[in-house]
Amino acid sequence: MGVGEKASITATGITTTGQSVDVTGSGTWGTLDTNIVTVSGGMITGVSVGATSVVFEAMGVKAQAAVSVTSDVVSIDIEDNQPMIASGQRVNLVAKAILKNGEVIDSSSSGTWEVSNDNARVTTSGQLTALKDGKFTLTHSYYGVKATKELEVVTIKQLVPNRSALRLFVGDSEQLTVRAEFVNRTSEEVGQAGEWVAMNETRATVDNGLVTAVGAGQTAARFKFLNQQLDIKVDVLAKGMLKKEGALPEYSADLVNIGSAGHIIEARNYRATGQRPKLLVNGSEVTQLDGPSSITSFETISVNSTGSIVAYQLRDDKANMLFKSIFVHNTSGGKQLLRLGDFFEGVCCKIYTQFVGSDLYVFKNGQMGRLGADGIFTVLFDGYKAGQEIFQSYSNFTFLKDKIIATKTSRGEGAKVIEIDYQGKIIRSLENGLPSHGDNGPRDIVELSEGRYIARMNGSTWEFSGNWFERPDLGYVSRFGEKVYSIKRENNFCAIREVDSAVGNAGDIIHNYSTLNSCNERVSHTTGETHVLSAHDVFGVVKQVTFFSNETRRADAKE
């Protein structure tokens, strides 16, 4: 008989005279193993696969009959191919049994579940709870057929995407990947193991991390893995070049910088068409780029305070190679002032430049140099030669007139912040009051007055004046000439306020912008009529620039 099937059985008694008598209902029925069959009043029910005997007793006489139970279950499948489960996570398991006739039934709550050790526990209904990091075996049994699955409990420190944000033109696509960093195992690429969701498919779609721009606007690509998720911002721009009113030019630039005199310096990258990049000032190409014929894009770009001198580093995207040279141009005359070749030792890396006044400071892998307005280049300190290897581990810098603020984050040590002079000497540590949970330490540092700084950290604004303390009243803070500005969401507006450098307080609202999708920009330039907001790194590379006049967005440069 089969599992779950019923069959009738009769008992016949033989009298002393040899007569046969039906005694099925006159005696007592039982079974040697009720886990295999049960019997009541002559009706047998198969419970599980196996063999046993049914026992009948009447008037002091006993009899047995052998019974075997077979299963129609061919195999069992434990669903969900994810081999990991996050520590503390609860999962409702699902198992499907495939029968001989091809029928598939859910055996999740009717079968039995087991785990091989105390790294996890499982209930009879199939709810699995991960308890501690480590591997274990999950077993599901149903009518004598078993299925096993090897699983591992992990603790995720963070999910790290290859891009924190995307800016695409309509029709363009870009592949996102995500790496998971774990506590007790090596990091692993998980972009194809998790779930991708497009938050607004009228703006962009996402398929296994491949984001395709559909319509102009903002959205996000959401990635879920185990008990973690992250959102990657996606800005979609209209196809073709973006137009700005008035004297501002058409452009589709990957990197844009703004001189304080109002010049718009453009570093146009033409990755889609394969053209060589171009350098423009207010829409006019001012010079033919120096560098090898294989160059395809700008890597970094800086501009001086008047917009007349630009320094940049180039990349060969096809070879995935950076050129160690920094090229310096006079934009007003189109004349190359200087090509800074491989003036630093060592191989690699990305070279950071920033103008302070009329001087260009260049930093690469622990080594610092300065190009003066007279065209003379001076190496200020060289970590490879002077035993100053400490600077090689710092990666975020703010260049001020007489000092540099350097920040680094060491795994297990937290953030470190120091002041350095331009000879490479450490002036002092700026770690008092630094949050122990700091992500990458202070960024986007602005000097309010001597020894007082405003910075972004852990998603909020902090001030340092002997100790770090949080400033919830301020948003993104930036300096433009002698003015310091804060932009912060207030109600449904992005409010721009001027900050008093002497006391650090935000003044009255200068402008409210209801058309901004976020308030994460910084004020880069402002006049009575036009206001320029930008998101950029501490080296002066602008990743996004937005022009406003009253309440009208006038342009958006592609990152």
Side-chain angles (χ1 to χ4, degrees), residues 35 52 227 260 267 366:
N35 291 320
T52 187
N227 62 344
S260 62

Short mmCIF file of all heavy atoms in Angstrom, two decimals, residues 35 52 227 260 267 366:
data_model
loop_
_atom_site.label_atom_id
_atom_site.label_comp_id
_atom_site.label_asym_id
_atom_site.label_seq_id
_atom_site.Cartn_x
_atom_site.Cartn_y
_atom_site.Cartn_z
N ASN A 35 4.24 4.16 13.55
CA ASN A 35 4.85 5.17 12.67
C ASN A 35 4.75 4.78 11.21
O ASN A 35 4.93 5.62 10.33
CB ASN A 35 6.32 5.39 13.04
CG ASN A 35 6.49 6.07 14.38
OD1 ASN A 35 5.73 6.98 14.71
ND2 ASN A 35 7.45 5.60 15.17
N THR A 52 5.90 -3.55 8.63
CA THR A 52 5.55 -3.90 10.00
C THR A 52 4.46 -4.97 9.94
O THR A 52 4.21 -5.54 8.87
CB THR A 52 5.09 -2.66 10.79
OG1 THR A 52 4.92 -3.02 12.14
CG2 THR A 52 3.81 -2.06 10.22
N ASN A 227 19.99 40.11 4.47
CA ASN A 227 19.25 41.10 5.27
C ASN A 227 19.75 42.52 5.03
O ASN A 227 19.49 43.41 5.83
CB ASN A 227 19.35 40.76 6.76
CG ASN A 227 20.79 40.80 7.26
OD1 ASN A 227 21.73 40.78 6.48
ND2 ASN A 227 20.96 40.83 8.57
N SER A 260 36.24 80.92 -10.23
CA SER A 260 35.52 81.85 -9.37
C SER A 260 35.08 83.11 -10.10
O SER A 260 34.22 83.83 -9.64
CB SER A 260 36.40 82.23 -8.17
OG SER A 260 37.57 82.89 -8.61
N ALA A 267 35.58 69.70 -19.40
CA ALA A 267 36.43 68.60 -19.84
C ALA A 267 35.50 67.57 -20.46
O ALA A 267 34.89 66.78 -19.78
CB ALA A 267 37.18 68.01 -18.66
N GLY A 366 51.51 60.00 -1.50
CA GLY A 366 52.40 60.40 -0.42
C GLY A 366 53.43 61.45 -0.78
O GLY A 366 54.31 61.77 0.01
#
